[in-house]
Amino acid sequence: MSVTIDPAILERAGDFNLDEIVIRTITDESVDFKAVFTEINLYESIYSNAVTGNIVIRDSKNFIQRYSIGGQETIAFNIYTPGAEGTDQIDLKSFPARIYKVSDKVATLEREQVYTLHFTSKESIVNTRNRFSSALTGTTSDMAVKLLTSSNFIGTKKDVFVENSVGIHKIVFPYMRPFNAITMLAKRSESSVYNTPGFLFYETHRGYNFRSYESLTHDQKVPRPEKMLFTDMPYARKAGNPAMRDIEFDMSTIKEFRIVKTTDVMADTASGMLNSTLYTHDIHTKTWTKTEYNYLNNFYNRLHIDQNEFKTDYNSSFGALYSQTPENEQGLLTSDYPRSKIMVSPRATALHSQSATDPRTYDNRSNVWVQNALSNKLSTNAIQMEMTIHGNTYLAAGDVIRVNLTSNEPHNAGDERIYDEYFSGRWLITHCRHVVNPREHETVLMCVKDTYFNSLPTGSTPIDAS
């Protein structure tokens, strides 16, 4: 649901609540480090299996020696934007993190030192210590839940958000770490609701996720509401009272942003985003199949980030990352070159069947998901933007936000084009970094989009016309 900022609770943008930072030592002492911290960094990403972070300590009382701090401690705190409740708080008290390393220890003044404590979720430590060797049977979603929640594997007590997958698999895991096994399962998962193959396995401060890209932006094919609206428009004081602060406006104003990546036709061609050929060998029937993938032909077979309730004309209101202007005199489009990426994959249609009458389908369907999953991941990350905003614990990796970027051109009264026609719209947060110091809280977001807000025009003259 969309976030509502309460100005009566939040006095100024960047405010935060942090009552204590408790480190439990190897001798079971609990010490509050709040008075000596200078910065906390907390990282989460839809491409990371664990929430990680670090805390910079300015120590004039030699805590590091007095309490034998060396990387075997736990750390607990709760940071949140005033007014945030439940999972909108970054709660490391209910599930304390593990400190695993001390670095950058420097003497700054006489009898004072600065050092950094690095921490991660407890489950990440459990994963590093454990390997298992066994065969699991079932859907990839069922296997992921078992690996996460069973005490024989990770044994997490955190919330786990799992999207149902299709197909029965029997997979042998040869002395693999649980997180590596779940990541492998994610790559070959197919949603029971959406057309996009390939899942994500990641952790945020809300819990663990095993789900498809489309489930992040849509709920049962209905667009998820944007968490917040952000704009880069300059601050405008309320008329008649220039001293009045509009906290909601401050919280929705982008402090700084940059488009760090856009489409690259050479890289997108060579990587398999635009086109590819897959040769699949069925190790059960000893047969080969050839499958060609075309990005533009498959564009409307999946839901996109910018498909939302305000866009009723799906086919014309926003469009693909590449135009349908022909590349040459033969009329070939930019995604009509399947030999630019060639892949080979094994397929097992019935290798693990228990008997001739076994009703379960064990087909790993690599002829379906390999090319689609590769192109979908690459196209989702084709356009990337980094933006810094006032600290906001309502947001997490995997959330959808709306960003209105002003068009870089002179504006006159009555102009219809105020916002950027291509880079405005809905964005998916892939990385979220919270930076907290004793004075303020900032949030740095890395966001992606897989379409342009408005369709690219189509030309009739081939690009390579002589």
Side-chain angles (χ1 to χ4, degrees), residues 132 134-138 143 146-147 153 169-173 185:
F132 73 101
S134 64
L136 298 179
T137 302
M143 286 188 245
K146 183 175 183 178
L147 291 171
F153 303 103
H169 300 262
K170 184 174 183 180
I171 302 176
V172 177
F173 300 93
L185 291 172

Side-chain angles (χ1 to χ4, degrees), residues 13 20-21 89 132 158 194 204 248 263 316 360 370 429-430:
E20 59 183 358
I21 304 171
Q89 298 183 0
F132 73 101
K158 298 175 180 176
Y194 306 103
T204 71
E248 290 182 90
T263 53
S316 63
R360 294 174 293 185
V370 169
I429 300 173
T430 57

Side-chain angles (χ1 to χ4, degrees), residues 396-407:
D399 285 343
V400 176
I401 59 174
R402 175 170 288 276
V403 180
N404 287 338
L405 301 176
T406 52
S407 179

Side-chain angles (χ1 to χ4, degrees), residues 30-48:
S30 294
V31 185
D32 188 356
F33 274 63
K34 181 182 178 183
V36 295
F37 96 98
T38 62
E39 184 174 278
I40 296 176
N41 291 279
L42 195 79
Y43 304 89
E44 56 186 44
S45 166
I46 64 173
Y47 302 117
S48 176

Side-chain angles (χ1 to χ4, degrees), residues 102-153:
V102 181
S103 71
D104 305 311
K105 187 172 180 290
V106 179
T108 53
L109 299 173
E110 185 178 0
R111 301 181 186 276
E112 182 183 81
Q113 57 189 326
V114 172
Y115 49 88
T116 302
L117 307 178
H118 301 261
F119 58 86
T120 186
S121 54
K122 181 190 76 172
E123 290 83 355
S124 185
I125 301 293
V126 173
N127 174 70
T128 303
R129 290 174 173 164
N130 291 328
R131 291 180 183 267
F132 73 101
S133 183
S134 64
L136 298 179
T137 302
T139 67
T140 55
S141 295
D142 291 341
M143 286 188 245
V145 170
K146 183 175 183 178
L147 291 171
L148 277 172
T149 60
S150 172
S151 58
N152 294 326
F153 303 103

Side-chain angles (χ1 to χ4, degrees), residues 50-69:
V51 172
T52 61
N54 60 65
I55 178 169
V56 181
I57 302 296
R58 183 176 292 277
D59 185 356
S60 60
K61 297 182 180 180
N62 205 15
F63 280 1
I64 191 170
Q65 181 174 299
R66 184 186 303 179
Y67 299 109
S68 304
I69 307 268

Side-chain angles (χ1 to χ4, degrees), residues 42-52 87-92 95 121 123 156 158-161 201-211 216 393-399 429-432 434:
L42 195 79
Y43 304 89
E44 56 186 44
S45 166
I46 64 173
Y47 302 117
S48 176
N49 304 148
V51 172
T52 61
T87 57
D88 291 327
Q89 298 183 0
I90 301 176
D91 181 10
L92 269 64
F95 300 101
S121 54
E123 290 83 355
T156 185
K158 298 175 180 176
D159 290 335
V160 178
F161 305 94
F201 168 50
Y202 65 96
E203 183 191 13
T204 71
H205 66 269
R206 299 172 188 155
Y208 283 97
N209 294 264
F210 185 80
R211 56 202 302 183
L216 297 177
T393 62
Y394 289 99
L395 300 177
D399 285 343
I429 300 173
T430 57
H431 300 72
C432 182
H434 295 280

